[in-house]
Amino acid sequence: MAVIALVLTACGGQDKGSGPTEPDGDTGRDSPLVGTWHTTGEDPALGGPVDVLLEIQAAGTLRVTVTQSAGASLSFPGTWALVENVLQLRGAWFQPDGGVDVRWDVNGDVLILIAADGNSQNWERRR
């Protein structure tokens, strides 16, 4: 599974220090989205297999941490919001436009993100 094909695309030449744009919508500690989520996949831009952590925080912020098989990590700040049952993810990691909107579902400890083209990706909750 290509992690990048659905939600996360490589940072490319983007400046990791640039701040995320603010999405419109609701965030909050009561959201089932709040927590740390993990997935694995292939990222051709980073040279192969990666582990990805998506930390969704109650304050409407997030952090994406990508770890390559050799152990190197990259971390990217961002924001999130829910707008009419759509999860808006914004930040330097979400290329090429700095953001992505996905449908979502939480089934127990699995977060399912669904792209506009119908492709889906499962993320497991980390405690």
Side-chain angles (χ1 to χ4, degrees):
M1 170 193 308
V3 172
I4 311 315
L6 172 61
V7 175
L8 307 174
T9 55
C11 184
Q14 185 89 2
D15 174 15
K16 291 185 286 286
S18 63
T21 59
E22 293 294 324
D24 297 323
D26 296 323
T27 60
R29 89 179 83 221
D30 295 333
S31 174
L33 294 167
V34 171
T36 301
W37 303 93
H38 173 260
T39 195
T40 60
E42 294 289 322
D43 184 346
L46 293 177
V50 293
D51 286 317
V52 183
L53 285 179
L54 174 63
E55 298 172 70
I56 299 177
Q57 300 160 352
T61 59
L62 63 84
R63 177 159 304 278
V64 177
T65 303
V66 182
T67 304
Q68 298 170 297
S69 59
S73 287
L74 300 167
S75 186
F76 304 88
T79 60
W80 69 278
L82 292 176
V83 177
E84 298 179 14
N85 297 321
V86 172
L87 174 60
Q88 295 180 335
L89 302 168
R90 302 291 183 258
W93 180 252
F94 304 102
Q95 294 299 314
D97 301 324
V100 65
D101 295 349
V102 294
R103 290 181 295 126
W104 63 277
D105 185 30
V106 174
N107 187 357
D109 285 338
V110 176
L111 169 63
I112 305 164
L113 298 180
I114 307 152
D117 65 5
N119 286 327
S120 65
Q121 185 172 47
N122 292 349
W123 298 72
E124 294 179 7
R125 186 181 296 275
R126 287 282 169 102
R127 303 226 183 257

